[in-house]
Each structure stands twice: as C-alpha cells, then as structure tokens.
Amino acid sequence: MVAPGRALFIFFGLQLAIMAVLYHQGYHHQVSYVLKMLTTSVLSTTDTILTVKDVYSGLDQIQPLSPTKEDLPTCPKTSPFVSGPLKVSFPLDITLDDIVQKNPLVQLGGHYQPPNCWALHHTAIIIPYRARRRHLHQLLYHLHPFLQRQQIHYAIYVVHQMDNYTFNRGKLLNVGFKEAMKENNWQCLYFHDVDLIPEDDRNIYDCSAFPMHASVAIDKFQYELPYQTYFGGVMALQPIHYLKINGFPNNYWGWGGEDDDIASRIFLNKMSISRPPAVFGRYHMLKHGHDRGNKANPNRFQLLSRTHLRWRYNGMNNLLYSLLSKEQTPLYTNLTVHFGIDYH
Ligand SMILES: *[C@@H]1O[C@H](CO)[C@@H](O)[C@H](O)[C@H]1NC(C)=O
Ligand SMILES: *[C@@H]1O[C@H](CO)[C@@H](O)[C@H](O)[C@H]1NC(C)=O
C-alpha cells in the first residue's frame, strides 16, 4: 500500500509529466489552461482557509463621516467590509446588553443605516418566533454585524406568536410583512428562521429579480439542498412579488409544508427561484430539542395538493390577527400576535 499523500503526489507528478510531453508537442494553450485551473483552485482553497473571520472583525472602522447627511456618498457596489467565510461561535450566555454594547450604531427597534454612505439596499428581516430565547440571542449576536458588513440599511422584526395554539409560520411571516411595510418602504424582505446562522458575508441580503432562496447549504443537510425545490430556512422576496403570490398560506398549523406551498405559489405565478452560489449560501443550524406546540402538520400533503386552487383566496387577502403589542427594543422590533384559532 502507498500512503494516500504519496499516491496523490505520484498522481500529480504523472499529470505534470504528461502535460510536459503535450506542451512539447505543441498543445501550449490547453496545457496553460489546465495549469491555470489547478493553481486557481489551489489558491482559492487556501484563501478560504486563511480568511475565516470573526463576524465583528473590522467593524470598528465604520465611523460616521460628517454630521450633514446630504454630503454622504453612495455606498460602493461591493462593501469593503465583506470578507468571505465567517466564524460561527458565541460567547457563553450572551445577554442582549452584551449585543447592544457590541453594536453601538444599531438604533431602537433594530434599525440600522450605514453612517458613512447611502445604502444601496433596504431590507427588512422577518423572524417568526416562539420560545427560542437562546437562539434569538445567538442570531442577533451574529446577524447585526453580518448585515453591517454588507452596508445594508435594515431592520429586524421578530414576530412572536403568543398564544397556546399550534405554531403557524406562514401566518407569522404575513404579519411580519404587513407590519414592516407599514413602517418603511422596504425593497426587500428576508424571511429568516431563528436557528439559521449565515456563515459567509458574501451572501448579500438584498433581493434579485426573482424570489431568492438563500439557505442553500445548511450544515445539517451536509451543505446540500435536501431536494431541488426546497425553499425553507431563509428566503427573500421583493414586496411586489410577495403581493403577486398573495403572500404565504395562513392555514398551515404546525411544522412543515408552508415552505413548499410558497415555492408552488412562485412557480404558479411563472417566476423562478434564484439562489446564491453554494459557497456563499452556507448556514449553521442551531441545535434544539422538540418544540412544544409545533408538531408535524398531518394535513400538509393534502393542503399542498390544493395550492393551485387555493392560493388566490388564502394569504394576504384573508389575513386576520390581533397585534397584542409592538415594542421597539434596542435590537429588534417585537411584534406580538395572537391568532386564537386552532383547527386541530
Ligand atoms: C397558555 O397556557 C398557560 C398554562 O396553561 C396559561 O397560564 C396562559 O395564560 C396561557 N396563555 C394564553 C395566551 O392563553
Ligand atoms: C415581545 O413582547 C411581549 C409583550 O411584552 C413579551 O411578552 C415577549 O416576551 C416579547 N418577545 C420577545 C421575543 O422579546
């Protein structure tokens, strides 16, 4: 047996020898192309290994330019703070105060604008939520600096389902859309599960011409799509597209199905789904036990089979909820809702 390292060495040696012969015989162009491919791929791997950064690194360089906002330049197309892969790690027992300390430029309600340039992107982040306090803190700890690296104008909305009924993610997202659009003319909405931490800041949180599925490579699924039309986790739409598909279904109670329904709505409206490259769209999923009040929805397959008939009547145009409170906390806007009907 030959040791694997040695076998590889011999293999590359042979390749080089063959290329040398080819080169000699006049295949210059092809050989230099192969060599270029080899070197760039080796370089990009080492590059990835070398530049994994802390999500807060370099952020102290973001300083207000001048007190007169009119003089601000437009932010560059590519933010100078975007660097690539990020470390995903959290201090033990992070408190909201710690996160506030580390993000001095974030304003009440979880709003942020780059202080030194006019942002090109205006994005609302909507997080459907119930009883995941630690995950929420971890996500906030990571997401605020992540978005600041991208020089985005953003705000974070947590839509908290405060009742004892089954969790309804689709409906929470509809509420988030409606309440966020009341506050600002957002150009892009990111619908973001609380347990997904983005691992690369080149995954820019803006919208493209088509609905976007951002969480394409989750560690729990070995960084691969579980299936081709998977649309769960983190996705984004422009308001005009959101309204075109009539928002999300309101009648999926419990875990599963609503994300497939949303994907169907998009296809039924003749749009396709865009995705970032898998090296950018990487996410770490935070671990959790079974959630109470969010058991798998046994009706989901039956509901899905009727999406094409029902989507026009089920969504933003029949959304009913009571907003118990809206609180501007230092790191997010807390929208507390009560649905009050459980169909089980
Ligand atoms: C939910 O249930 C708990 C305990 O059963 C009760 O104390 C609480 O008031 C209920 N909350 C609502 C909003 O109904
Ligand atoms: C949101 O506000 C409600 C009402 O004050 C509160 O009970 C709940 O804990 C808050 N949720 C979050 C995630 O801050």
Side-chain angles (χ1 to χ4, degrees), residues 9 15 171-172 227 231 254-255 271 300:
F9 193 74
Q15 295 283 312
K171 196 162 170 171
L172 287 170
Y227 50 94
F231 201 51
W255 181 88
M271 290 185 280
R300 63 188 190 279

Side-chain angles (χ1 to χ4, degrees), residues 14-115:
L14 270 174
Q15 295 283 312
L16 278 177
I18 293 168
M19 282 199 274
V21 171
L22 285 175
Y23 191 82
H24 192 70
Q25 292 183 353
Y27 292 88
H28 297 193
H29 187 70
Q30 290 85 337
V31 172
S32 54
Y33 176 73
V34 171
L35 278 177
K36 211 165 112 195
M37 290 249 297
L38 265 176
T39 44
T40 47
S41 71
V42 167
L43 280 181
S44 64
T45 353
T46 43
D47 183 57
T48 312
I49 293 163
L50 287 177
T51 58
V52 175
K53 287 203 174 146
D54 186 277
V55 68
Y56 284 95
S57 74
L59 281 196
D60 50 353
Q61 290 168 31
I62 303 182
Q63 298 289 344
L65 269 192
S66 82
T68 50
K69 272 201 161 186
E70 282 69 28
D71 298 331
L72 289 184
T74 310
C75 295
K77 236 176 139 182
T78 308
S79 162
F81 304 103
V82 162
S83 60
L86 299 169
K87 232 186 321 191
V88 175
S89 64
F90 307 99
L92 276 180
D93 306 319
I94 330 164
T95 65
L96 289 175
D97 281 343
D98 299 334
I99 307 173
V100 170
Q101 296 279 317
K102 288 187 79 88
N103 292 277
L105 298 174
V106 172
Q107 286 159 0
L108 201 62
H111 287 255
Y112 175 86
Q113 307 235 28

Side-chain angles (χ1 to χ4, degrees), residues 112-185:
Y112 175 86
Q113 307 235 28
N116 47 4
C117 58
W118 285 108
L120 293 173
H121 310 300
H122 308 271
T123 298
I125 313 285
I126 315 282
I127 304 171
Y129 177 87
R130 177 153 77 185
R132 292 279 199 87
R133 190 62 68 168
R134 189 170 54 87
H135 286 176
L136 181 60
H137 292 184
Q138 291 177 331
L139 180 63
L140 293 167
Y141 176 87
H142 194 89
L143 205 52
H144 274 295
F146 175 88
L147 294 167
Q148 288 162 44
R149 301 182 85 77
Q150 303 183 345
Q151 295 188 312
I152 287 178
H153 164 218
Y154 70 85
I156 297 181
Y157 299 88
V158 175
V159 197
H160 188 157
Q161 183 178 340
M162 269 253 282
D163 53 31
N164 286 331
Y165 300 99
T166 309
F167 194 64
N168 189 329
R169 180 169 173 269
K171 196 162 170 171
L172 287 170
L173 297 177
N174 282 342
V175 173
F177 175 86
K178 189 150 185 175
E179 296 294 328
M181 292 306 293
K182 276 185 199 166
E183 267 196 12
N184 194 60
N185 188 16

Side-chain angles (χ1 to χ4, degrees), residues 96 129 133 136 158 160 162 324-325 327 329 332 334-336:
L96 289 175
Y129 177 87
R133 190 62 68 168
L136 181 60
V158 175
H160 188 157
M162 269 253 282
L324 296 185
S325 67
E327 289 167 8
T329 79
Y332 57 92
N334 172 356
L335 302 164
T336 306

